[in-house]
Amino acid sequence: MFKNIAFFAFLLISGVVFAQSTAMTSAESKAFVTKISAETKEIKTLQSDFVQTKKMDFLDKNIVTQGRMSLKSPNTLSWKYTKPYQYSIIFKENKIFINDQGKKSSVDAKSKTFEKINKLIVGSSNGKMFSDPEFSVVYMKNSSSNIAKFTPKSAQLLKYIKQIELHFPKNQSTVSQVNMTEASGDTTNIVFKNTKINAPIPASEFSL
């Protein structure tokens, strides 16, 4: 169950970074965190289309899916996959609601690993992920983006996730790409596009 949640929730997230990346200096990372944290405090809603590419060692071809991510402050999150299949996962009220092509279920997320993943995703829109005690963070940069690399501290989370990368284009405060490397070595890359900030989101986006 958890591997499915990690796969569909991230999402965070690991593709190849084609631009050469270097470590930020202490001053650069502090300025980056301060800027993103300040700007994302103004975000009440966030909606974006995405393309997700999953690479698994035992498959010859990558799994490519498309969908829409919706977020409403403070902690309601929806991932709806629309192509090539219908799959929805919603985080709200400390629960995870799932609709797998018509088959609905729910999981109690409170005080479990699911909650930590949800918190990191939501935190990427409000800047709070930089101070999450569950992860250590390394800050990188390249010609086009600033990159925050998160490594879980707990042995429990490391059973599933090895590293998560969040990419922030230098001209915006929201994430454009998320890369995740699972403990198994499988990787997930999510690229966001058509991002809308503080636009009205229908309540139906957060229901099954």
Side-chain angles (χ1 to χ4, degrees), residues 74-91:
N75 57 5
T76 303
L77 177 68
S78 167
W79 290 84
K80 294 193 174 181
Y81 293 78
T82 55
K83 295 180 181 179
Y85 50 76
Q86 302 288 321
Y87 187 101
S88 299
I89 178 168
I90 296 171
F91 294 81

Side-chain angles (χ1 to χ4, degrees), residues 58-74:
F58 63 87
L59 294 179
D60 293 332
K61 293 184 178 180
N62 294 339
I63 302 172
V64 180
T65 51
Q66 298 179 39
R68 181 174 59 256
M69 184 273 289
S70 303
L71 184 148
K72 183 177 180 180
S73 181

Side-chain angles (χ1 to χ4, degrees), residues 43-50 67-72 78 80 174 192-202 204-206:
I43 296 177
K44 304 302 180 184
T45 66
L46 184 70
Q47 192 166 48
S48 182
D49 298 327
F50 67 82
R68 181 174 59 256
M69 184 273 289
S70 303
L71 184 148
K72 183 177 180 180
S78 167
K80 294 193 174 181
T174 55
F192 298 100
K193 58 183 181 179
N194 303 324
T195 299
K196 298 177 182 178
I197 299 174
N198 292 335
I201 299 179
S204 58
E205 286 296 316
F206 303 107

Side-chain angles (χ1 to χ4, degrees), residues 24-32:
M24 290 188 192
T25 64
S26 177
E28 287 174 331
S29 61
K30 184 177 180 179
F32 166 67

Side-chain angles (χ1 to χ4, degrees), residues 14 20 27 40 89 140 163 168:
S14 189
Q20 184 176 4
T40 53
I89 178 168
M140 308 291 291
Q163 187 178 76
F168 296 80

Side-chain angles (χ1 to χ4, degrees), residues 64-132:
V64 180
T65 51
Q66 298 179 39
R68 181 174 59 256
M69 184 273 289
S70 303
L71 184 148
K72 183 177 180 180
S73 181
N75 57 5
T76 303
L77 177 68
S78 167
W79 290 84
K80 294 193 174 181
Y81 293 78
T82 55
K83 295 180 181 179
Y85 50 76
Q86 302 288 321
Y87 187 101
S88 299
I89 178 168
I90 296 171
F91 294 81
K92 66 178 180 180
E93 300 171 354
N94 291 319
K95 284 187 177 293
I96 300 171
F97 300 89
I98 300 167
N99 186 341
D100 184 357
Q101 302 183 83
K103 184 179 180 180
K104 299 180 181 181
S105 59
S106 64
V107 178
D108 186 358
K110 190 174 182 179
S111 300
K112 294 184 179 180
T113 305
F114 304 138
E115 184 182 31
K116 298 172 186 176
I117 291 181
N118 181 39
K119 186 167 65 172
L120 183 62
I121 301 173
V122 173
S124 70
S125 71
N126 59 24
K128 293 182 179 179
M129 73 286 197
F130 298 125
S131 58
D132 192 324

